[in-house]
Amino acid sequence: GPGVCAGMATANSMHIACEALGMTLPDSAPVLADSPKMKARARVSGERIVAMIEADMKPRDIMTAGAFKNAVACVQAVSGSINCVKHLQATAYEAGLDLDVYGMFNEIGAKVPVLSAVRPNGKHTIAEFEDAGGASALLKQLEPLLDTGCMTVNGKTQKENLTGVKVRNEEVIRPLSRPFSPKQAIIILRGNLAPESSIVRLGVRTDDSRDRFTGTAIIYENNQDAMAGLERGEVKPGHVLILRGQGLKGGPAMAGGASLVVFAIYSANLQNDIAFVTDGQLSGLCNKGITIAEVAPESAVGGPLCLVENGDRISIDIDNHLLHLEVPEQELAARLARLGEQVPPAATGYLGIYQRDVQSMSTGAVLVKNKVC
């Protein structure tokens, strides 16, 4: 049917991010499918695109560093999909900007509370979010933290666009002084298990129950085995379930198989008793427990995830942005020597081209032939 996932999943999160970037007309995100507003916004957007061409106004004139900071702030404020991180990083690269968007999510996220709790983060619906004023209302609440001098597609700055904007329901889109949670919703973790990056989405945090976890590894090489292991009761409280071989080159591409394991964890009611770590991609609806995805470098190219063995202790410290494998460096070096060079399973056709040229997730998984971003 028409429309997208009816929650704060990837499509709605990115629609909000696009308005924060200045790349949609104000008061366009989100929009109810097949509504008169949707059709009207499509019409005026088409007209504006023609006018922008005539004025020689290009996306790179709008998508500046400040615009990306605004987008990151909005994604954090709604606890949006973690897929926004790589999409914004890749877009910044294509825009010719030397930006560490992953770093921005920690730097800016430390200052941005959660102002809206749309499902799966809370009880509100995306329709209620739109009725409360949508992305424009969210930007208005965030205005003191934004770069409001950024130009947008209508030829006005964010500051001009926000003049006169009213938040129609401050229980759905709250002010900075009364957030749903003062804590950072999306966190980039690094450490000896994720030297480049990994990502966790914690949504609305009201206590410290999901700030730290230490447990022992139980490893699966594919999602089918992991789900079967959950069904057999192999995964116990205190485990860190490792799912590897799911990354960009190991897949190849990211088919979302890791999400099936997350939903199986929910079904087993283990989300608060274990942690989950994978180099795969997750659905924008995953936000329960400590679920860490997109570990980079991935295991298929020799990332440290390939060195983990059953029973290894893994520690996760959210506040300090750490994902750590508690194994001595000498032992890890010995394991790497035993494993030898890791070569992803060979793919053919377009997937083979993708597998050869795709860069690490920490770059936004851009395609750059024979070049490291």
Side-chain angles (χ1 to χ4, degrees):
V4 299
C5 294
M8 198 56 72
T10 303
N12 282 318
S13 299
M14 280 303 299
H15 198 179
I16 292 163
C18 285
E19 185 161 327
L21 273 174
M23 287 299 294
T24 68
L25 292 173
D27 193 31
S28 291
V31 63
L32 184 65
D34 279 349
S35 64
K37 179 182 175 182
M38 186 194 79
K39 294 171 184 176
R41 299 314 281 168
R43 184 178 300 109
V44 296
S45 295
E47 293 169 355
R48 182 58 192 161
I49 289 168
V50 174
M52 289 174 68
I53 292 170
E54 291 173 345
D56 196 30
M57 189 179 188
K58 299 181 176 65
R60 290 182 184 181
D61 299 326
I62 296 162
M63 290 191 288
T64 61
F68 278 92
K69 291 177 182 178
N70 293 344
V72 169
C74 279
V75 174
Q76 287 283 22
V78 298
S79 182
S81 165
I82 65 169
N83 291 315
C84 294
V85 184
K86 58 178 171 285
H87 292 330
L88 289 171
Q89 181 68 74
T91 304
Y93 176 85
E94 297 294 347
L97 297 173
D98 184 17
L99 293 180
D100 177 10
V101 173
Y102 280 77
M104 283 184 185
F105 266 86
N106 278 350
E107 179 185 354
I108 295 170
K111 307 169 188 174
V112 177
V114 179
L115 302 184
S116 184
V118 172
R119 298 171 184 170
N121 299 305
K123 65 179 183 179
H124 293 129
T125 66
I126 196 69
E128 289 174 315
F129 181 85
E130 182 186 353
D131 290 342
S136 292
L138 180 70
L139 287 162
K140 186 65 177 179
Q141 301 287 44
L142 287 169
E143 190 171 8
L145 302 179
L146 301 178
D147 183 346
T148 56
C150 294
M151 184 58 60
T152 69
V153 289
N154 68 350
K156 297 179 181 180
T157 64
Q158 284 286 10
K159 185 174 183 63
E160 291 173 304
N161 290 338
L162 293 174
T163 301
V165 169
K166 303 293 183 183
V167 183
R168 295 191 287 269
N169 188 337
E170 288 201 332
E171 284 306 308
V172 176
I173 304 175
R174 291 186 177 181
L176 288 168
S177 61
R178 191 170 55 86
F180 283 93
S181 171
K183 295 188 175 185
Q184 185 173 339
I186 299 171
I187 302 98
I188 307 303
L189 305 179
R190 294 184 172 92
N192 72 343
L193 195 51
E196 293 180 5
S197 61
S198 64
I199 187 166
V200 61
R201 174 194 190 187
L202 295 177
V204 176
R205 287 191 285 164
T206 56
D207 55 37
D208 297 331
S209 62
R210 292 191 290 169
D211 289 350
R212 289 181 177 82
F213 189 92
T214 299
T216 55
I218 182 167
I219 302 165
Y220 296 96
E221 306 294 342
N222 58 67
N223 60 302
Q224 293 91 347
D225 287 348
M227 288 189 290
L230 282 160
E231 188 173 0
R232 290 192 296 267
E234 295 171 358
V235 183
K236 309 287 187 184
H239 272 144
V240 178
L241 196 165
I242 301 288
L243 176 64
R244 57 194 180 193
Q246 307 296 301
L248 298 161
K249 292 181 180 289
M254 305 179 96
S259 299
L260 300 176
V261 178
V262 172
F263 297 136
I265 291 170
Y266 297 170
S267 296
N269 199 29
L270 286 170
Q271 64 270 13
N272 295 320
D273 299 318
I274 70 171
F276 177 64
V277 178
T278 182
D279 49 10
Q281 175 191 14
L282 294 183
S283 161
L285 295 172
C286 296
N287 73 334
K288 296 179 182 178
I290 295 180
T291 300
I292 300 169
E294 299 177 3
V295 171
E298 63 178 288
S299 61
V301 297
L305 205 61
C306 76
L307 304 178
V308 182
E309 296 182 355
N310 284 312
D312 285 348
R313 286 183 65 78
I314 294 170
S315 59
I316 300 160
D317 186 335
I318 301 297
D319 287 338
N320 290 306
H321 307 158
L322 289 175
L323 177 59
H324 186 71
L325 176 61
E326 296 182 3
V327 174
E329 290 299 320
Q330 300 92 324
E331 170 61 18
L332 292 177
R335 292 181 186 180
L336 185 60
R338 289 196 297 270
L339 281 175
E341 182 181 0
Q342 296 298 288
V343 179
T348 59
Y350 284 110
L351 272 180
I353 296 169
Y354 175 88
Q355 186 182 61
R356 182 192 68 207
D357 293 341
V358 69
Q359 303 300 299
S360 175
M361 183 55 70
S362 60
T363 71
V366 294
L367 291 174
V368 184
K369 186 175 181 180
N370 300 323
K371 179 180 178 182
V372 177
C373 298

